[in-house]
């Protein structure tokens, strides 16, 4: 049903979809699994972004849902994922966003999201910010790299967001992350975190890291060996 929505929805249809998007999983628990429900809401947001004329209050709705702490973290993460596509749909380039207060709200929400380190949300924010950085005002690659470096070195950061932070440091060329990456590659909590740290050492390291990489390649962990 979501995929059959047209590209010229009426105001009444938009309001109906907004009401659905703002709902809570508890209202549908008997009919759908959580990820099924969130997938439908995700597809609904995609349909709204494909409208011939972008709904004027869509950005407000996305921000409101992200900021609603009664929503589950899966949906709030999806909302953060949509900040970037919404920005690109509304402002084709950064110059058009410069003087729009809504863009400032989205930028602030991105930074707020990078503090939600116990879940995937901080990592999702880093990815979205990086996709817009140096193109849209108030976001630079250096800022994203600095925040990624902070999270990668923070043992209190959740593994999911820390994985993203390590890989973002590698992508943005920040060798300052190497001391943390070397330690985590050997003793990090989850296997996925160790995999990310190992790949980061490979991307940014130097000849002093050869022995570490060789030991990881010769180790017993099957998922680390191919990366090493």
């Amino acid at each position: 049903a979501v995929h059959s929505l047209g590209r010229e929805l009426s105001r009444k249809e938009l309001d109906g979809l907004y009401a659905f998007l703002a709902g809570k999983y508890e209202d549908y628990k008997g009919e759908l699994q959580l990820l099924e429900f969130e997938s439908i809401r995700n597809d609904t947001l995609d349909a709204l972004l494909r409208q011939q004329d972008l709904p004027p209050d869509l950005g407000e709705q996305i921000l409101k849902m992200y900021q609603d702490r009664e929503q589950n973290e899966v949906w709030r993460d999806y909302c953060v994922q949509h900040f970037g596509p919404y920005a690109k749909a509304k402002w084709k380039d950064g110059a058009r966003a410069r003087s729009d207060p809504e863009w400032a709200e989205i930028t602030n929400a991105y930074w707020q999201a990078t503090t939600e380190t116990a879940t995937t949300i901080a990592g999702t924010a880093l990815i979205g910010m990086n996709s817009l950085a140096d193109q849209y005002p108030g976001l630079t690659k250096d800022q994203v790299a600095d925040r990624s470096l902070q999270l990668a070195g923070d043992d209190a950061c959740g593994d999911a967001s820390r994985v993203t932070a390590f890989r973002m440091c590698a992508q943005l060329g920040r060798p300052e992350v190497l001391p943390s990456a070397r330690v985590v590659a050997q003793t990090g909590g989850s296997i996925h975190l160790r995999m990310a740290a190992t790949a980061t050492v490979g991307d940014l390291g130097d000849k002093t890291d050869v022995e570490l990489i060789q030991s990881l390649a010769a180790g017993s962990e099957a998922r680390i060996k191919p990366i090493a």
Side-chain angles (χ1 to χ4, degrees), residues 203-226:
D203 289 332
L204 299 175
D206 56 36
K207 62 184 181 181
T208 65
D209 293 300
V210 171
E211 185 176 345
L212 167 60
I213 293 298
Q214 287 176 335
S215 70
L216 293 170
S220 59
E221 178 48 66
R223 287 170 289 183
I224 295 286
K225 290 166 71 76

Side-chain angles (χ1 to χ4, degrees), residues 7-71:
R7 297 185 65 241
E8 298 180 72
L9 297 174
S10 68
R11 183 70 251 179
K12 183 177 179 181
E13 290 169 323
L14 290 173
D15 288 342
L17 292 173
Y18 287 158
F20 167 64
L21 289 174
K24 303 293 193 295
Y25 173 59
E26 288 67 27
D27 299 330
Y28 298 86
K29 217 168 185 176
E31 305 169 54
L32 297 166
Q33 297 296 315
L34 176 62
L35 290 182
E36 293 173 328
F37 177 61
E38 302 309 4
S39 294
I40 295 170
R41 288 208 284 184
N42 185 68
D43 287 354
T44 301
L45 266 187
D46 288 342
L48 291 170
L49 284 170
R50 288 195 300 268
Q51 292 303 294
Q52 187 167 302
D53 296 314
L54 194 67
D57 47 357
L58 179 57
E60 176 188 348
Q61 297 292 330
I62 297 172
L63 283 167
K64 190 185 301 182
M65 291 184 294
Y66 160 64
Q67 291 162 348
D68 181 1
R69 296 294 179 134
E70 292 186 7
Q71 294 284 355

Side-chain angles (χ1 to χ4, degrees), residues 98 103 107 110-111 125-148 168 172 174:
R98 191 172 303 278
W103 168 245
T107 305
Y110 263 137
W111 286 114
L126 292 176
I127 293 169
M129 293 163 74
N130 189 53
S131 73
L132 301 174
D134 292 340
Q135 304 170 59
Y136 285 75
L139 284 181
T140 68
K141 296 282 188 183
D142 283 344
Q143 288 175 318
V144 177
D146 287 345
R147 185 61 179 141
S148 298
M168 196 63 68
L172 295 173
R174 296 300 292 265

